[in-house]
Amino acid sequence: MSILDTLDAAAADAVQFALPLYEMSRMRSATAPRADHAGRFAGDSPESTLRWANLWSHTRRLLGPQDRKVVTPNNDTLYSSAWLDLSRGPLVLRVPAMGERYYVLGLLDMYTNPFGYVGTRTTGRDAGAFLVHGPGWRGDVPDGMRALACPTDAVWMIGRMLVDDDTDLAAAVALQDQLTIEPAPGSDAQVPCRIDTGMQPNERLGDPEVFARVVNRALAGNPPPADEASLVARFAACGIGAALDGVPPTDAQRDALARAIRDAIRTLSEASPSTLGGGWALPVDLLESFGTDYRQRARTALSYIGALGIREAMYLMADRDADGALLDGHASYVLHFPPGGAPRTDAFWSLTAYERESCMLADNAIGRYSLGDRTPGLQHDADGGLRIAMSAREPADPVLRRNWLPAPPGRFYLALRLYVPGDAHIERRFAYPPIERQCT
């Protein structure tokens, strides 16, 4: 094997391994607050890469077609987000009693592994206090607190809180305001604290020099597990490694990384096959950690960053009908759940349609952007089955008109979200109904 071949092989492995670090760094730059709650900016100019960590930011309404920052947005829950910096010591996370409301605070390490959860499924509905600490911390957990051990010092905490309708919004917002982060007793942690994200959110994957700079800094601050150290050490040949933080790649390394990044974007962006039948696919399929499946981890980071493990949420996607034809809002489709055949969840399920080109919600005349088990006014068939219509035009059938999910006028795709799915879904025993195109 030539030196060039060796360099290209190292670069391909390095990009696949480190791509989640790049995307997490970009998301931190995009979503960590520039200003704190007192209006103080972390940096001294709009060009600054400084942000605030250990600080909550919340969405105060359900996302709709006017929201264009997050692709494939959830229209069922309020989002809360906080980037944690545990390098100076542990933090205390406090949550209020949630009553009957579903919520989850999912924790992702810097490699995008969804390693922990606080919420209805895992910790219950009562108020609680949690000691969140990094991998190097050693100490006693204070009485009345539960420990959350984190694999990296940089952690993204993403909260989702179910909202039934507009009349429920104020109560959900009040609960968001009771989520707090504070230094642990005896900790040197600061709340909030300034962090340098090292990049701007518009620096999309592509520039090899930026890639090396960003991931090397991330590796220095968030070392991989010890059993992966020898693998990562081999990446030094192409300019990737914690010891190379601040060292620009050579021309040969830059060229090899550029080729590897182009190949990764091309291959990792390919659509998922319809492995569940009827047009449906499960693009993110993990329980707790990606482990050594670096390809799946990179693919998820590129297209579905922030996804939770399937015990908490399953995200089924479809951009084709049961016959393999691309979904188009100018046509009409029906999804038929037979009697007793609706999704089985311990929280809720919903179906949402998105524009294929933008991956965003599209405005529609009735203002309905998701449909599911909490949608009022749905009409079941006489035998208990449920038919859902999907099209840009309002259906003529009066039953389907009540059960209509408006679709964008043009290419679109569907997301079927299952929060706390039942065992039939986890074990692949559930029969998903095909997406059937209707004759006109």
Side-chain angles (χ1 to χ4, degrees):
M1 182 179 289
S2 69
I3 294 177
L4 181 60
D5 289 339
T6 302
L7 188 59
D8 278 344
D13 289 343
V15 167
Q16 182 169 265
F17 181 92
L19 189 150
L21 291 169
Y22 187 90
E23 288 300 301
M24 284 290 279
S25 297
R26 188 175 65 80
M27 290 304 296
R28 185 168 58 176
S29 177
T31 61
R34 293 176 180 266
D36 66 9
H37 295 161
R40 296 180 302 159
F41 283 91
D44 57 3
S45 73
E47 291 73 33
S48 173
T49 57
L50 295 181
R51 303 288 188 273
W52 290 108
N54 304 339
L55 182 68
W56 280 113
S57 59
H58 306 289
T59 61
R60 301 302 202 177
R61 56 178 175 75
L62 297 178
L63 299 182
Q66 70 275 23
D67 299 292
R68 314 297 286 183
K69 291 183 179 179
V70 178
V71 297
T72 317
N74 174 338
N75 181 245
D76 304 290
T77 69
L78 296 182
Y79 280 103
S80 297
S81 174
W83 286 89
L84 306 183
D85 177 8
L86 304 172
S87 62
R88 302 182 186 181
L91 299 165
V92 174
L93 165 69
R94 297 187 187 276
V95 301
M98 293 289 177
E100 295 303 309
R101 186 183 305 276
Y102 169 80
Y103 85 105
V104 61
L105 309 178
L107 287 84
L108 279 70
D109 69 16
M110 200 61 180
Y111 295 84
T112 68
N113 293 300
F115 65 88
Y117 305 87
V118 172
T120 308
R121 178 180 68 91
T122 55
T123 59
R125 303 177 187 275
D126 295 337
F130 302 86
L131 184 82
V132 187
H133 66 83
W137 180 78
R138 301 292 182 270
D140 297 325
V141 180
D143 291 342
M145 294 188 189
R146 283 179 277 186
L148 285 174
C150 304
T152 57
D153 279 333
V155 171
W156 190 12
M157 186 159 53
I158 311 174
R160 298 164 172 89
M161 188 179 296
L162 183 62
V163 175
D164 283 330
D165 52 37
D166 288 343
T167 64
D168 185 42
L169 184 60
V173 167
L175 290 170
Q176 285 182 314
D177 288 337
Q178 296 177 62
L179 297 170
T180 62
I181 299 169
E182 60 194 55
S187 171
D188 293 329
Q190 297 179 353
V191 178
C193 71
R194 289 180 173 86
I195 55 170
D196 189 350
T197 63
M199 66 185 305
Q200 295 291 358
N202 60 354
E203 294 184 271
R204 294 279 180 176
L205 186 66
D207 187 319
E209 192 155 352
V210 174
F211 181 85
R213 170 171 54 80
V214 169
V215 302
N216 289 348
R217 172 180 289 192
L219 284 167
N222 302 275
D227 57 1
E228 295 179 342
S230 60
L231 169 67
V232 177
R234 297 203 297 269
F235 301 158
C238 63
I240 298 299
L244 298 172
D245 183 19
V247 179
T250 66
D251 289 345
Q253 291 170 336
R254 190 162 45 246
D255 291 344
L257 287 172
R259 290 190 290 270
I261 291 170
R262 285 196 301 270
D263 287 345
I265 292 174
R266 176 178 54 81
T267 59
L268 297 175
S269 299
E270 293 173 354
S272 301
S274 178
T275 53
L276 300 178
W280 295 105
L282 183 66
V284 180
D285 186 3
L286 78 152
L287 291 172
E288 297 174 359
S289 168
F290 292 100
T292 57
D293 191 348
Y294 304 129
R295 178 178 177 78
Q296 170 74 347
R297 188 175 74 179
R299 187 175 186 276
T300 302
L302 189 63
S303 300
Y304 306 101
I305 194 165
L308 306 177
I310 61 172
R311 293 197 187 281
E312 190 68 41
M314 293 179 73
Y315 312 96
L316 282 73
M317 313 294 286
D319 67 353
R320 298 170 185 271
D321 63 21
D323 295 323
L326 295 171
L327 298 178
D328 191 311
H330 295 106
S332 298
Y333 306 88
V334 167
L335 194 64
H336 177 215
F337 292 105
R344 302 169 191 175
T345 67
D346 289 337
F348 71 95
W349 67 266
S350 70
L351 183 69
T352 311
Y354 300 93
E355 297 173 339
R356 176 70 273 177
E357 184 175 353
S358 69
C359 301
M360 301 294 182
L361 296 165
D363 196 16
N364 65 74
I366 64 172
R368 176 181 283 176
Y369 301 106
S370 65
L371 184 152
D373 57 359
R374 299 171 302 106
T375 303
L378 295 183
Q379 183 171 333
H380 288 71
D381 297 331
D383 62 3
L386 177 66
R387 292 176 295 145
I388 298 173
M390 298 156 291
S391 62
R393 296 188 303 275
E394 184 178 40
D397 184 306
V399 173
L400 292 181
R401 194 178 307 138
R402 294 173 67 93
N403 302 347
W404 176 39
L405 176 65
R411 286 277 312 279
F412 74 95
Y413 65 99
L414 295 168
L416 177 61
R417 291 180 169 87
L418 314 175
Y419 276 85
V420 194
D423 289 342
H425 297 282
I426 299 292
E427 298 168 3
R428 306 298 190 271
R429 293 185 284 106
F430 186 85
Y432 295 94
I435 303 167
E436 299 178 327
R437 182 166 179 159
Q438 303 299 291
C439 297
T440 56

